[in-house]
Amino acid sequence: MNNMKKRLSALAILASILLIGCAADKGDAKTDETVDANTDSAVATEALTPEESVLKHLPEASYFNGENFNIGWSQQYDFNEVYFTLEETEGDSIYEAVYERNRMTEEKLGITIVGENIGSWLDIPQTVAKLVQSDDDTYDVFCMSTVQTFNCVLQGYLCDISALDVINFENPWWDSQAILEQYSHGTDNVYFISGDINYQDDYALSAVMFNKRLCAEQDIQPYDDVRNNTWTVDTYFKYLSLFGADLDGNGKYTKHDMYGATNGSGILSYFLAASGEHLVCFDKEGNAYLNSNERIFDVANKVLNLVNDKNNPSYCIVDANPAIDWVIGGTLFPNEHAAFTEDSIHKINEMRFTMEEDFGVLPYPKFDEDQKEYHAPLSTASATVFSIPVSNDKAEMSAWIMEMMGMYSTDTVRYAAMEKVLMGKSIRDSESEDMLNIIFDTKFYDLGFWGSEIYNEVCPMVRSYKNNFVSLIESMQNKTEKQYETVKEYYSFD
């Protein structure tokens, strides 16, 4: 939920309080003597804002006993979003906001917050295993890669936060109930959360960026497509076909040529997510299976039919083209050798420095106009979440601190990362802000990305320009079920 919506929500609560007061002043048919005291108490409780409710139930400072609160963090690109000393902020808006959020929490609870990089995100399960198995309680909470955090859940290393009965997941500084249900696979078990307390989960959402000049020359108005519900895969692919060209005429597609769009071999997984189809699913007993409905195959066929045409430069799959790698591929869009690119939100901040030409931001297209809403694919490798290790014998206290950090993050960390930097400095038009709000409100979490057995097979299939997706789904069912066979031990599906 964006900050504007949160502030509107707060205003709505205030309006409700004023209306209650006005009704009382006008004199209801009920007299003061007939109003039940319990009813008065209930109304007063309902009138509390989320912030007031947390502060009302917050334990005294003595409960926190001047503790050090240690956060172990690890992220794919080494983005630190949990802790900075004042000297380390160096005038950086986001760093300053993280520092201020921590300072406010420290001052309120009488604690000291410390953060430490616990090592490579690739080694998270092993790192956490050593800590938990040795009963090392150095870290009170973790802020780590989503997919690796989930792997830690399946090893029994993390607490079920919902069982602590401290954090109110409906508070506006936590992500929506829709994404929480995806994190918990439809159960009541919550092992990790995200929200205003971290921003890499939002920066890890995928979007489509377009060169405004190149699109205008072809009379392409994608913002209108989004507004008019015509921003679909068919529309997008039609636009891409207008740009591909062998500029140097040598019959080979290299960095010197023109492309419709750029992406990597994970492209199919992103379009499946954007269509609202989970690739990895669980039945009512908690058994994992691969989605094999008719619609998911329709999406796959449409994407692969375009991508697999080697002679069609509508797409440059950067890790499939022998003349282009990830580094070169990353320069095609900024250098105007691609009209569109599909990448994570955090790349927008980089384009602020690397791209002179104006660009706009769009959600991934819907599969068709019948699709009810957009879905923003989440990179589970780079997105972060907060969790509590089972080695923490003060888990409830940690949950209270997380709740306070979340509450103080809305006007500090989230404001700086989203409104001040991303919205205020990096994007170049107001329409992009509208598009980003759509993206942030439609986060889509799926296990079928990096780290899953099926993703390890889908990407090579894309790189080989083949379409054996149907048989791949059939052949990978058993491996997928085995990969996630311990899920039912930690999530209650009944």
Side-chain angles (χ1 to χ4, degrees):
M1 185 183 295
N2 58 56
N3 279 331
M4 181 61 71
K5 289 184 178 178
K6 290 176 181 176
R7 287 165 183 161
L8 288 174
S9 176
L11 289 173
I13 292 171
L14 179 58
S16 298
I17 296 172
L18 293 174
L19 285 172
I20 291 169
C22 290
D25 289 340
K26 290 181 179 180
D28 202 328
K30 296 179 181 178
T31 65
D32 289 343
E33 289 75 19
T34 62
V35 176
D36 193 313
N38 290 332
T39 302
D40 285 338
S41 177
V43 171
T45 300
E46 291 174 1
L48 291 177
T49 66
E51 292 82 359
E52 289 169 342
S53 180
V54 169
L55 294 174
K56 178 180 179 180
H57 297 96
L58 183 70
E60 296 291 334
S62 58
Y63 169 78
F64 300 96
N65 198 32
E67 294 274 346
N68 276 4
F69 184 67
N70 298 301
I71 306 172
W73 66 271
S74 178
Q75 198 268 347
Q76 185 179 18
Y77 301 111
D78 282 338
F79 290 124
N80 177 3
E81 53 190 325
V82 302
Y83 172 79
F84 294 96
T85 64
L86 181 59
E87 293 74 21
E88 290 171 334
T89 60
E90 297 179 353
D92 184 287
S93 298
I94 298 178
Y95 294 178
E96 290 174 350
V98 170
Y99 174 83
E100 179 63 12
R101 182 269 314 276
N102 291 353
R103 186 198 65 76
M104 293 169 69
T105 307
E106 291 174 331
E107 185 175 283
K108 182 65 180 178
L109 304 181
I111 62 171
T112 300
I113 296 175
V114 180
E116 182 180 359
N117 188 333
I118 60 174
S120 169
W121 73 281
L122 292 170
D123 300 328
I124 285 174
Q126 295 88 342
T127 301
V128 174
K130 291 178 181 177
L131 292 168
V132 172
Q133 291 171 3
S134 62
D135 203 27
D136 187 332
D137 62 354
T138 299
Y139 302 104
D140 299 290
V141 300
F142 294 123
C143 178
M144 309 183 298
S145 159
T146 305
V147 63
Q148 295 289 41
T149 299
F150 181 71
N151 289 334
C152 289
V153 173
L154 301 189
Q155 298 298 317
Y157 299 147
L158 302 178
C159 293
D160 183 351
I161 300 173
S162 63
L164 301 175
D165 199 25
V166 171
I167 293 178
N168 182 354
F169 303 119
E170 294 184 357
N171 281 331
W173 46 84
W174 299 115
D175 273 342
S176 69
Q177 290 298 299
I179 189 63
L180 191 65
E181 288 177 8
Q182 293 182 57
Y183 284 166
S184 61
H185 306 288
T187 71
D188 293 329
N189 307 103
V190 180
Y191 289 92
F192 50 86
I193 52 177
S194 58
D196 294 353
I197 195 171
N198 59 323
Y199 59 90
Q200 287 303 326
D201 60 319
D202 289 325
Y203 275 16
L205 291 168
S206 294
V208 177
M209 279 70 84
F210 69 98
N211 183 302
K212 296 178 73 173
R213 181 183 63 79
L214 292 176
C215 286
E217 290 175 354
Q218 296 291 340
D219 197 27
I220 294 173
Q221 304 294 333
Y223 291 141
D224 290 341
D225 286 318
V226 174
R227 297 187 190 100
N228 298 330
N229 195 38
T230 54
W231 181 236
T232 64
V233 170
D234 283 339
T235 300
Y236 182 39
F237 286 2
K238 179 182 70 175
Y239 292 161
L240 299 188
S241 67
L242 301 174
F243 295 99
D246 181 10
L247 297 181
D248 55 14
N250 67 357
K252 299 178 181 179
Y253 289 103
T254 68
K255 65 181 181 180
H256 303 293
D257 298 310
M258 186 69 193
Y259 302 91
T262 65
N263 202 330
S265 57
I267 181 172
L268 179 56
S269 296
Y270 285 90
F271 271 98
L272 293 178
S275 72
E277 296 290 343
H278 286 96
L279 186 51
V280 176
C281 307
F282 296 92
D283 64 23
K284 60 183 180 181
E285 281 81 35
N287 299 306
Y289 66 92
L290 293 173
N291 188 349
S292 59
N293 66 33
E294 182 178 351
R295 188 170 182 270
I296 200 170
F297 292 132
D298 289 343
V299 177
N301 287 333
K302 184 161 289 188
V303 173
L304 293 173
N305 285 343
L306 179 67
V307 172
N308 287 350
D309 186 353
K310 294 182 180 180
N311 297 316
N312 183 351
S314 292
Y315 258 110
C316 175
I317 304 302
V318 299
D319 53 338
N321 187 329
I324 296 175
D325 56 20
W326 283 105
V327 175
I328 295 174
T331 67
L332 295 177
F333 180 70
N335 292 338
E336 296 190 87
H337 281 272
F340 294 82
T341 190
E342 299 151 20
D343 215 324
S344 297
I345 295 296
H346 78 84
K347 286 290 184 180
I348 297 174
N349 289 336
E350 294 180 17
M351 289 178 191
R352 170 183 159 199
F353 303 103
T354 62
M355 188 166 180
E356 295 183 4
E357 197 68 41
D358 277 351
F359 65 91
V361 183
L362 302 161
Y364 260 73
K366 296 179 180 180
F367 177 59
D368 54 33
E369 291 183 16
D370 292 332
Q371 186 172 315
K372 292 183 178 180
E373 64 178 351
Y374 293 98
H375 298 288
L378 179 71
S379 171
T380 55
S382 55
T384 54
V385 287
F386 270 73
S387 60
I388 302 175
V390 294
S391 53
N392 181 351
D393 60 1
K394 298 179 180 177
E396 288 187 8
M397 181 190 298
S398 295
W400 273 114
I401 297 172
M402 287 169 59
E403 185 79 287
M404 293 299 292
M405 289 179 68
M407 186 180 81
Y408 286 133
S409 292
T410 301
D411 293 326
T412 55
V413 177
R414 184 171 181 84
Y415 174 76
M418 299 303 164
E419 296 191 27
K420 194 170 184 179
V421 175
L422 183 63
M423 306 282 198
K425 296 180 180 179
S426 297
I427 62 173
R428 304 183 181 183
D429 55 32
S430 60
E431 290 91 344
S432 287
E433 182 174 349
D434 295 336
M435 300 299 113
L436 283 169
N437 285 329
I438 291 174
I439 292 168
F440 294 144
D441 286 342
T442 56
K443 184 183 297 184
F444 192 88
Y445 167 76
D446 183 36
L447 290 174
F449 284 93
W450 187 94
S452 66
E453 295 283 0
I454 185 62
Y455 188 79
N456 293 340
E457 297 296 329
V458 167
C459 290
M461 178 192 70
V462 172
R463 288 195 294 269
S464 64
Y465 298 98
K466 295 179 180 178
N467 181 1
N468 59 320
F469 187 66
V470 174
S471 60
L472 191 61
I473 291 294
E474 294 174 353
S475 65
M476 291 296 294
Q477 290 287 2
N478 289 337
K479 279 190 176 181
T480 299
E481 183 176 357
K482 182 161 182 64
Q483 180 178 10
Y484 301 111
E485 64 183 352
T486 61
V487 164
K488 65 188 74 173
E489 296 179 21
Y490 302 99
Y491 293 88
S492 301
F493 289 85
D494 48 19

